[in-house]
Amino acid sequence: KAGVTQTPRYLIKTRGQQVTLSCSPISGHRSVSWYQQTPGQGLQFLFEYFSETQRNKGNFPGRFSGRQFSNSRSEMNVSTLELGDSALYLCASSLGLAPTSYEQYFGPGTRLTVT
Amino acid sequence: AQSVTQLDSHVSVSEGTPVLLRCNYSSSYSPSLFWYVQHPNKGLQLLLKYTSAATLVKGINGFEAEFKKSETSFHLTKPSAHMSDAAEYFCVVSDGGSQGNLIFGKGTKLSVKP
């Protein structure tokens, strides 16, 4: 079974631009979560989608948004990019919502660099 | 509010010697606790999880962790380190709610010397 895939793997953008990252979950998984990883802040939860609905959101500004499609694929969008948005963005999928019952499987991440 | 503190940012051991990665947590609920590993340029992989069953949890690749409520600790151990264990390890706490409520520690980088 194929793992979680994220595209693109690397991205360079300029301040003020917007960016869209894509995540394809493992087949049959209905939950997708997004995380931001930076050297300073570590790993931080962005948001979670289940059955095309955002179920939970972390403490990030409204410039960060996402969506999930009927096939469970998810995209996240960052508008008006800032230098501090440079990070590794990780996507994780699981069968269901509860972390105690369903293991999250992480993709390799998208490395975003904002110049 | 939940939080997790990894007491060492970097641990170095020799191959064949024991590994101890320390984690303390704070939770107002009965927490679920996890250890994840991240190899360079790879995604995170779940090593093990504690969900209020047995306090000694066995994971993959010979790792185990013990939940100690009185000490609010969830340290990760392995009897004998392998070179392939070199990676970054994250201790994670969840309040048991929606999957998104995962709070990650800052990570411990494990180096293994030959």
Side-chain angles (χ1 to χ4, degrees):
Chain A
K1 189 182 272 191
V4 178
T5 57
Q6 293 186 245
T7 56
R9 291 292 312 277
Y10 301 92
L11 204 50
I12 299 175
K13 289 287 188 178
T14 305
R15 267 183 305 174
Q17 289 186 313
Q18 75 166 14
V19 66
T20 298
L21 312 182
S22 180
C23 172
S24 292
I26 292 171
S27 177
H29 285 193
R30 296 171 63 194
S31 172
V32 173
S33 295
W34 288 89
Y35 297 84
Q36 182 196 64
Q37 185 176 23
T38 60
Q41 298 299 316
L43 269 154
Q44 293 182 285
F45 168 71
L46 278 157
F47 30 64
E48 170 201 16
Y49 286 88
F50 181 81
S51 294
E52 302 177 64
T53 302
Q54 187 180 91
R55 299 303 178 111
N56 208 349
K57 191 177 192 302
N59 189 25
F60 278 81
R63 299 186 297 108
F64 291 82
S65 62
R67 59 178 176 170
Q68 187 180 34
F69 301 96
S70 58
N71 62 357
S72 294
R73 190 177 70 86
S74 177
E75 290 181 346
M76 68 162 281
N77 184 277
V78 188
S79 62
T80 320
L81 283 166
E82 300 177 0
L83 294 178
D85 298 333
S86 295
L88 180 67
Y89 289 89
L90 292 166
C91 164
S93 78
S94 70
L95 284 169
L97 278 172
T100 57
S101 300
Y102 299 107
E103 179 180 346
Q104 283 188 308
Y105 293 82
F106 283 79
T110 294
R111 174 75 61 186
L112 172 65
T113 301
V114 182
T115 62
Chain B
Q2 286 67 243
S3 67
V4 62
T5 303
Q6 292 184 244
L7 299 168
D8 306 292
S9 59
H10 191 198
V11 170
S12 182
V13 301
S14 297
E15 192 174 22
T17 63
V19 175
L20 170 63
L21 305 183
R22 299 182 295 164
C23 173
N24 286 351
Y25 70 91
S26 172
S27 176
S28 50
Y29 304 92
S30 178
S32 294
L33 294 157
F34 309 78
W35 276 98
Y36 281 85
V37 61
Q38 186 177 34
H39 288 93
N41 299 314
K42 295 272 184 77
L44 291 155
Q45 181 183 22
L46 180 67
L47 279 177
L48 50 81
K49 65 181 180 184
Y50 166 77
T51 58
S52 74
T55 56
L56 183 61
V57 183
K58 294 188 184 299
I60 61 171
N61 300 335
F63 284 95
E64 62 181 39
E66 186 171 8
F67 173 72
K68 291 187 177 180
K69 187 174 182 179
S70 60
E71 299 176 10
T72 61
S73 68
F74 190 57
H75 301 334
L76 181 70
T77 61
K78 183 173 181 178
S80 176
H82 296 155
M83 295 297 293
S84 60
D85 294 328
E88 189 150 23
Y89 292 79
F90 294 91
C91 182
V92 183
V93 64
S94 166
D95 65 2
S98 167
Q99 174 156 252
N101 290 339
L102 293 181
I103 310 298
F104 283 79
K106 293 294 188 184
T108 298
K109 187 173 183 181
L110 176 64
S111 300
V112 182
K113 297 174 289 187

